[in-house]
Amino acid sequence: MPTTKPPPFDRQKREQWLAFVQTLSPAADPRTIRLIGLLHRTGHALARVGETSLSAAGLSYAQYRLLMSLLFCEQFEGQAALNPSEISERQGISRNTASALISKLEAEGLIERELDQADRRKFIIRLTPAGRELVRDHASQHFHTIHQCFHVLTPEEQETMSQLLERLNESSALQRR
């Protein structure tokens, strides 16, 4: 996997940015401005690592999540298939986005669509043997790649980070209301 070097740390530029932001909002806390920037850059970098890992399997992250969700449903929830609305809800994506993902994965032979026998107005989506095999074959390598991103943190630091991010997630959910 090719690695790109992050831009050099530039304290002066960061301080200029923070000063600029405070001219726009004098009450802004420089620590929170720095944190949101770090979270954004880190999240973006981790997403790129995940996408690069999955590109070896010819999948986007969204496609992989959908295939993993179908496999999870099969193995742990006793559901061999989901309808597109359930996929949309589970993935936190719009129905249009889910439809586009389903169409692409179906064209690649990784999932199949069939009429729901309980309600013939609906379709259900299930993994094909090829889709199941692709997910299983690639999961170990993908999760190893993700693990490598976090190995710089001790298990205790990872747990603390998880707790802090959960609190931030809850707080931001309240702000969206």
Side-chain angles (χ1 to χ4, degrees):
M1 172 186 327
T3 57
T4 57
K5 201 172 188 182
F9 177 76
D10 188 341
R11 183 183 305 269
Q12 182 181 4
K13 186 169 273 190
R14 185 178 75 214
E15 288 174 6
Q16 287 174 333
W17 173 256
L18 293 175
F20 166 71
V21 169
Q22 287 191 301
T23 65
L24 299 173
S25 178
D29 183 341
R31 294 171 299 189
T32 61
I33 296 165
R34 181 167 182 248
L35 282 172
I36 194 69
L38 283 169
L39 284 170
H40 184 268
R41 285 192 303 278
T42 303
H44 186 70
L46 290 170
R48 283 196 324 258
V49 167
E51 289 282 349
T52 300
S53 166
L54 294 171
S55 69
L59 296 170
S60 70
Y61 182 69
Q63 292 170 332
Y64 188 70
R65 282 185 55 219
L66 193 153
L67 294 173
M68 285 287 289
S69 182
L70 288 170
L71 185 61
F72 179 81
C73 286
E74 271 185 15
Q75 293 186 353
F76 292 96
E77 295 181 356
Q79 282 184 268
L82 295 172
N83 68 47
S85 294
E86 291 171 318
I87 290 171
S88 171
E89 185 178 311
R90 287 172 181 247
Q91 300 298 306
I93 57 178
S94 72
R95 289 183 182 185
N96 288 343
T97 300
S99 180
L101 289 170
I102 290 166
S103 293
K104 176 104 169 99
L105 292 169
E106 183 179 26
E108 293 176 8
L110 300 174
I111 61 173
E112 58 191 7
R113 177 190 330 228
E114 60 187 56
L115 281 174
D116 186 340
Q117 295 303 312
D119 183 348
R120 301 200 46 89
R121 296 171 296 169
K122 296 181 181 180
F123 285 98
I124 55 171
I125 310 300
R126 72 176 76 244
L127 285 172
T128 62
R132 197 174 294 107
E133 183 179 345
L134 180 66
V135 171
R136 286 188 176 138
D137 287 351
H138 196 69
S140 180
Q141 184 272 323
H142 176 67
F143 291 125
H144 175 74
T145 299
I146 299 302
H147 169 75
Q148 290 302 106
C149 293
F150 289 92
H151 83 281
V152 297
L153 301 174
T154 67
E156 294 79 17
E157 289 169 329
Q158 290 179 31
E159 182 58 32
T160 298
M161 183 179 205
S162 292
Q163 292 171 3
L164 293 171
L165 289 172
E166 284 291 335
R167 284 176 47 200
L168 275 174
N169 191 39
E170 290 169 10
S171 174
S172 64
L174 293 174
Q175 296 299 316
R176 290 189 304 257
R177 290 185 182 163

